[in-house]
Amino acid sequence: MKQIVLASASPRRKKLLQQINLPFEVHPSSVEENYNPEWSPGKIVKELSLKKGKNVATDFSSALVISADTIVTFEDTILEKPEDANEAYDMLTQLSNNTHQVYTGVALCKTDQINNIAGTKTFFEVTDVTFGKLNPQDIKNYVEGGSPMDKAGSYGIQDDFGAIFVKRIEGDYNNVVGFPLHSFYNTVRNFAGEFLPNPGN
Ligand SMILES: Cc1cn([C@H]2C[C@H](O)[C@@H](COP(=O)(O)OP(=O)(O)OP(=O)(O)O)O2)c(=O)[nH]c1=O
């Protein structure tokens, strides 16, 4: 039977994929998220998402394995998840009153009946996010609340306070949360339409 697998531990990615009513199972990957610092941001998120997908794909037969990776870039610097509260505070201070980019890469891996990878497809989306001027006490409170720690760039646009920081965005909102639903659906239709409920429609 054809099966869809989401290779992610992110509750936000799970929720976004549920939104489009595809039946899937969650099997998080376990890979080191290292990359060549000379790569472009788009290449980094594509390669890391593919690494996550390949790590899980060979556990499944006749499957479509979906994986993703999100990073934030600000003026040539890559901001991943913060190491600690101080780093989160510094990142948010940097982003205050400025525009940054959120890149999410998605990988699709198809497997055959004997668990071999039969084909892969990767793509990425970029969204520009502009923060208003942040109040240092608001940043401190937000960091103390703990939300930044599992998020690239140290904020969640979907969080109460994270949302307050955001003045303007250009691009797909869901891409900032960690999964670009619009381009995902179009890519699946072309690359793996047989996994959609009504193939050919
Ligand atoms: C900028 C931003 C990031 N994020 C999150 C999305 C990702 O979950 C996280 C970046 O880390 P990732 O390494 O992309 O993903 P992950 O470790 O959470 O999950 P997995 O690798 O198993 O798929 O930051 C938000 O939730 N909201 C935001 O506004």
Side-chain angles (χ1 to χ4, degrees):
M1 202 193 76
K2 289 203 178 301
Q3 186 182 12
I4 302 177
V5 174
L6 175 64
S8 173
S10 162
R12 284 127 351 216
R13 295 198 171 117
K14 182 177 171 193
K15 207 166 155 208
L16 283 169
L17 200 53
Q18 280 169 337
Q19 198 176 316
I20 58 170
N21 289 331
L22 284 183
F24 65 92
E25 278 182 31
V26 175
H27 290 271
S29 69
S30 53
V31 295
E32 284 281 317
E33 294 192 24
N34 42 28
Y35 54 82
N36 181 338
E38 290 184 1
W39 288 347
S40 65
K43 179 158 168 105
I44 291 172
V45 292
K46 284 197 297 184
E47 292 292 334
L48 289 182
S49 60
L50 186 59
K51 201 170 169 189
K52 293 175 186 181
K54 281 182 169 170
N55 175 253
V56 168
T58 47
D59 290 342
F60 297 91
S61 61
S62 307
L64 173 67
V65 176
I66 302 162
S67 50
D69 192 75
T70 300
I71 58 170
V72 167
T73 64
F74 175 62
E75 293 179 350
D76 298 335
T77 313
I78 291 172
L79 308 177
E80 298 172 80
K81 296 176 193 173
E83 292 284 330
D84 53 32
N86 284 339
E87 198 184 349
Y89 184 91
D90 290 345
M91 275 192 208
L92 291 167
T93 306
Q94 255 193 320
L95 298 181
S96 170
N97 216 14
N98 278 308
T99 299
H100 63 270
Q101 282 69 42
V102 181
Y103 285 82
T104 296
V106 175
L108 305 174
C109 295
K110 282 199 255 191
T111 60
D112 64 16
Q113 286 164 328
I114 51 167
N115 297 26
N116 287 322
I117 293 176
T120 63
K121 174 88 190 160
T122 57
F123 66 93
F124 73 91
E125 276 291 320
V126 57
T127 304
D128 288 331
V129 180
T130 304
F131 275 14
K133 193 163 171 39
L134 309 188
N135 175 301
Q137 190 58 46
D138 285 345
I139 300 181
K140 217 164 162 261
N141 294 343
Y142 182 57
V143 171
E144 275 167 13
S147 176
M149 300 317 295
D150 67 338
K151 299 186 183 80
S154 303
Y155 75 97
I157 196 168
Q158 69 279 14
D159 293 345
D160 310 349
F161 248 97
I164 286 164
F165 297 161
V166 177
K167 190 168 151 188
R168 189 168 54 240
I169 80 165
E170 192 171 339
D172 184 352
Y173 169 86
N174 294 317
N175 187 52
V176 184
V177 183
F179 200 72
L181 272 184
H182 175 80
S183 44
F184 165 77
Y185 191 76
N186 287 318
T187 308
V188 170
R189 203 166 37 201
N190 286 325
F191 174 75
E194 67 276 21
F195 286 87
L196 295 177
N198 299 307
N201 285 351

